[in-house]
Amino acid sequence: MTAMAKALLDANFNRRRVIATEAVSLAYRYLSALAPAPPWRLLGVEYETGRGPVDLAWANSEVGLVFFDELKTARTATRRLPGAWEEQTQRYTAAGRARFGAEFVGVRLLPINAMHLARLSSARKPWARLAPTPNDPFRLGGDR
């Protein structure tokens, strides 16, 4: 699969350029609009949860809380979460609770191209809609 993907990209300069541009755009959106502001600090990237690596782990240096971010870049033209995303997020939620106990807030599932699907998975509320900001990473969202 890797060889096939590389061949497809190498065969078309414009495709490489489009993918690189999209990656930079998504990273900028995450860093400027979704990544939490201090006192949150990055705990790790591709952070091993014990049940697979989550994209990002964050810790609050003032109160000791921890949460994970699982980022999705796929273009999803639906109002429903794909089942595989739900399963993965719930697996990371269980792993976070097992490792951090009551200090674990949950997992933010952030489909960057489809933020109407953003959710928080936590022990208290399995699926809460999110409309996060850097200063309020767990701001609840409506039915958008």
Side-chain angles (χ1 to χ4, degrees), residues 62-139:
E62 291 179 358
V63 295
L65 297 176
V66 173
F67 77 90
F68 299 154
D69 272 346
E70 181 59 26
L71 308 179
K72 298 298 180 191
T73 59
R75 293 177 190 98
T76 304
T78 182
R79 303 254 345 134
R80 292 188 45 125
L81 288 175
W85 292 6
E86 288 185 46
E87 186 279 324
Q88 180 185 34
T89 303
Q90 290 170 351
R91 187 176 72 236
Y92 293 154
T93 301
R97 279 195 309 260
R99 178 174 283 176
F100 297 104
E103 284 77 36
F104 187 69
V105 176
V107 178
R108 294 191 317 170
L109 175 63
L110 302 175
I112 299 175
N113 282 331
M115 284 301 291
H116 65 280
L117 296 175
R119 301 287 189 276
L120 175 67
S121 173
S122 69
R124 288 177 223 94
K125 212 173 198 187
W127 287 110
R129 290 180 184 271
L130 282 182
T133 68
N135 292 320
D136 189 357
F138 309 110
R139 185 177 82 174

Side-chain angles (χ1 to χ4, degrees), residues 2-23:
T2 301
M4 185 175 96
K6 183 174 176 1
L8 284 171
L9 292 175
D10 286 346
N12 187 323
F13 172 76
N14 285 331
R15 184 176 291 144
R16 278 197 318 265
R17 199 170 55 169
V18 167
I19 290 171
T21 301
E22 186 173 21

